[in-house]
Amino acid sequence: MPIRNSIARVTLLFCSFCPALHNVAAQESVNIVIQENGAEHTDTIVLPVSMTYPLDSLLNDWKAKTYIDLSKDCSTSTVNPQFSDSVYIDRLSRMPVIMEMPYNDIVRKFIDTYTGRLRTQVSFMLSACNFYMPIFEEALDAYNLPLELKYLPIIESALNPSAVSRAGASGLWQFMLSTGRLYGLESNSLVDERRDPIKATWAAARYLRDMYDIYKDWNLVIAAYNCGPGNINKAIRRAGGKTDYWAIYNYLPRETRGYVPAFIAANYVMTYYCKHNICPMETNIPQSTDTVLVNRNLHFEQIEDICHVPVEEIKSLNPQYKRNIVPGDSKPRTLRLPTEAISAFIDNQDTIYNHRSTELFKNRRIVSSVSSSSSKGNGKVTYYRIRRGDTLGGIAGRFGVTVRQLRKWNGLRNNNIRAGKRLKIYK
């Protein structure tokens, strides 16, 4: 079916919703009525999931709630100006890209979707670009890839870092578990690096480079990103060995048939949004962050209590840690914190690691090497007067004992202590 340059006349009709899974909005499908050479036939394309996310789910991310200001009117109009095909063709041709951006009726319908009923979502994504585009551009530039690929996560996840597909793909770049592991992204019960914007972006850049080395055609590369190289290879064989996206279009999975047109439309709308009376939501500048190396098990609540960084902020900065635990015992791991909290973390590491450790890691207990006589309170006794700001965990770490021992020796029911009181410590 020759779709390039609008040779076929196409009409898209929105169909009913499919059931929602994994807290992801249901996918829509579109019927395509193709009129060609006096004949008609109907096909169905499944829209990218990202085009079905409600705005509320996108704004639920901590970064969005904290830094995107909905109270300020960005003057996005409800009126979407209509343009002729020649205008769209001219604008696409003038975009500073090296990837092919053809125009046809399918691309036009996706542009109409973004600039029509998804206008508010586009306004959100324009604002969210401030968080993620510098990360995307750095990795793509390092691998000498087209920078227009930075809009691929708009199709994959609508820039929703917590997006999970019905097939189990996760994160901004929607890596499947097996592909993520193949590109060095760790996934286990505590860690899922597919959710890490930085690591996942660099893995995506390597994957895109590898796909281009195989296909030498960017439309096939981004189609392979959506449905996998196996499906692309099948479509090429069924099309008689043709290696042009539009030539194999009929043999692709339904969602992938809309994937490349949606990608072209996303590039268009992120470039020409002003022409459609869309403006970005107001974005406050995020505070600067830095990383520290963690080499012991650490819970986000320990950091919150001692460094006074809210757990929600720590989760947003470190989305790869699924259960608010950094498993530093298995290997050294990075932790991202606001810059002003870095010094507090470094200065109070022992206190932080020991604070509430028995409570927060009760399912990770180990047999203590302390002798039974010490546990019972025998040996040389030392008395320590509690100072303002002391914690039981910090005192335990200072004297090389456990919090449980301190509580037993001093008849404490919990970890609460008061300045001025004395603690009995056996050595």
Side-chain angles (χ1 to χ4, degrees), residues 223-365:
Y225 195 94
N226 175 251
C227 67
N231 282 315
I232 299 298
N233 295 339
K234 287 180 188 176
I236 291 173
R237 286 196 300 271
R238 290 170 181 167
K242 296 177 182 177
T243 56
D244 177 88
Y245 172 81
W246 301 101
I248 69 171
Y249 178 90
N250 273 337
Y251 305 101
L252 293 170
R254 288 177 177 175
E255 182 174 344
T256 307
R257 294 176 197 174
Y259 194 77
V260 169
F263 174 75
I264 296 169
N267 270 269
Y268 170 88
V269 76
M270 300 305 278
T271 304
Y272 294 110
Y273 57 89
C274 287
K275 301 293 186 181
H276 292 268
N277 296 334
I278 300 174
C279 72
M281 293 179 181
E282 191 76 21
T283 310
N284 300 315
I285 299 175
Q287 59 187 338
S288 60
T289 62
D290 203 349
T291 58
V292 291
L293 198 64
V294 173
N295 52 23
R296 293 168 60 183
N297 287 341
L298 181 66
H299 198 285
F300 288 176
E301 290 185 23
Q302 294 173 300
I303 306 169
E304 180 183 51
D305 291 349
I306 306 300
C307 299
H308 310 294
V309 181
V311 165
E312 284 302 309
E313 182 172 1
I314 303 171
K315 287 170 64 176
S316 178
L317 294 174
N318 302 273
Q320 68 271 33
Y321 299 122
K322 297 161 65 173
R323 303 185 185 277
N324 296 353
I325 293 173
V326 184
D329 275 359
S330 59
K331 68 178 183 181
R333 300 180 184 274
T334 57
L335 174 74
R336 185 168 294 276
L337 293 172
T339 301
E340 62 270 18
I342 293 292
S343 296
F345 182 90
I346 294 173
D347 293 343
N348 297 279
Q349 284 190 69
D350 289 341
T351 301
I352 294 169
Y353 285 127
N354 287 297
H355 174 67
R356 296 174 58 196
S357 60
T358 304
E359 169 197 347
L360 295 171
F361 296 105
K362 56 187 175 183
N363 64 329
R364 304 175 71 87
R365 289 177 294 182

Side-chain angles (χ1 to χ4, degrees), residues 383-387 390 395 398 418-423:
Y383 289 93
Y384 174 78
R385 188 172 298 279
I386 301 170
R387 302 172 185 172
D390 276 343
I395 297 169
R398 191 178 308 167
R418 287 194 303 170
K421 295 289 185 179
R422 291 199 310 169
L423 290 177

Side-chain angles (χ1 to χ4, degrees), residues 64-315:
K65 290 188 290 188
T66 304
Y67 295 118
I68 295 180
D69 192 345
L70 297 178
S71 65
K72 295 183 179 179
D73 181 16
C74 70
S75 301
T76 290
S77 170
T78 57
V79 178
N80 178 28
Q82 298 299 307
F83 302 100
S84 66
D85 289 341
S86 61
V87 171
Y88 287 122
I89 293 170
D90 178 63
R91 288 176 181 171
L92 284 168
S93 69
R94 289 190 287 109
M95 288 170 54
V97 298
I98 63 172
M99 294 175 63
E100 182 186 28
M101 297 283 173
Y103 177 81
N104 54 50
D105 286 351
I106 298 179
V107 173
R108 169 67 182 263
K109 291 299 182 181
F110 276 97
I111 291 175
D112 289 345
T113 301
Y114 275 127
T115 59
R117 67 186 184 88
L118 297 182
R119 295 172 65 78
T120 308
Q121 281 87 333
V122 170
S123 180
F124 160 80
M125 290 188 289
L126 286 165
S127 183
C129 282
N130 292 318
F131 308 143
Y132 303 116
M133 287 304 155
I135 299 172
F136 300 164
E137 290 173 346
E138 181 182 6
L140 293 170
D141 183 64
Y143 283 97
N144 196 29
L145 301 176
L147 291 186
E148 48 267 33
L149 288 167
K150 66 187 178 183
Y151 296 129
L152 199 55
I154 287 178
I155 312 302
E156 289 290 338
S157 62
L159 298 183
N160 179 2
S162 59
V164 179
S165 78
R166 283 173 285 194
S170 183
L172 288 167
W173 291 88
Q174 290 289 281
F175 268 104
M176 294 295 292
L177 194 66
S178 57
T179 309
R181 285 177 174 163
L182 186 64
Y183 281 85
L185 299 178
E186 181 181 359
S187 293
N188 53 50
S189 296
L190 296 177
V191 179
D192 187 352
E193 292 182 339
R194 296 177 298 166
R195 302 180 182 182
D196 184 325
I198 297 175
K199 288 187 177 181
T201 296
W202 285 83
R206 293 195 301 274
Y207 180 79
L208 290 166
R209 178 201 60 188
D210 290 347
M211 289 299 100
Y212 187 76
D213 288 343
I214 295 171
Y215 295 113
K216 307 298 182 183
D217 180 285
W218 282 114
N219 282 336
L220 290 184
V221 167
I222 60 176
Y225 195 94
N226 175 251
C227 67
N231 282 315
I232 299 298
N233 295 339
K234 287 180 188 176
I236 291 173
R237 286 196 300 271
R238 290 170 181 167
K242 296 177 182 177
T243 56
D244 177 88
Y245 172 81
W246 301 101
I248 69 171
Y249 178 90
N250 273 337
Y251 305 101
L252 293 170
R254 288 177 177 175
E255 182 174 344
T256 307
R257 294 176 197 174
Y259 194 77
V260 169
F263 174 75
I264 296 169
N267 270 269
Y268 170 88
V269 76
M270 300 305 278
T271 304
Y272 294 110
Y273 57 89
C274 287
K275 301 293 186 181
H276 292 268
N277 296 334
I278 300 174
C279 72
M281 293 179 181
E282 191 76 21
T283 310
N284 300 315
I285 299 175
Q287 59 187 338
S288 60
T289 62
D290 203 349
T291 58
V292 291
L293 198 64
V294 173
N295 52 23
R296 293 168 60 183
N297 287 341
L298 181 66
H299 198 285
F300 288 176
E301 290 185 23
Q302 294 173 300
I303 306 169
E304 180 183 51
D305 291 349
I306 306 300
C307 299
H308 310 294
V309 181
V311 165
E312 284 302 309
E313 182 172 1
I314 303 171
K315 287 170 64 176

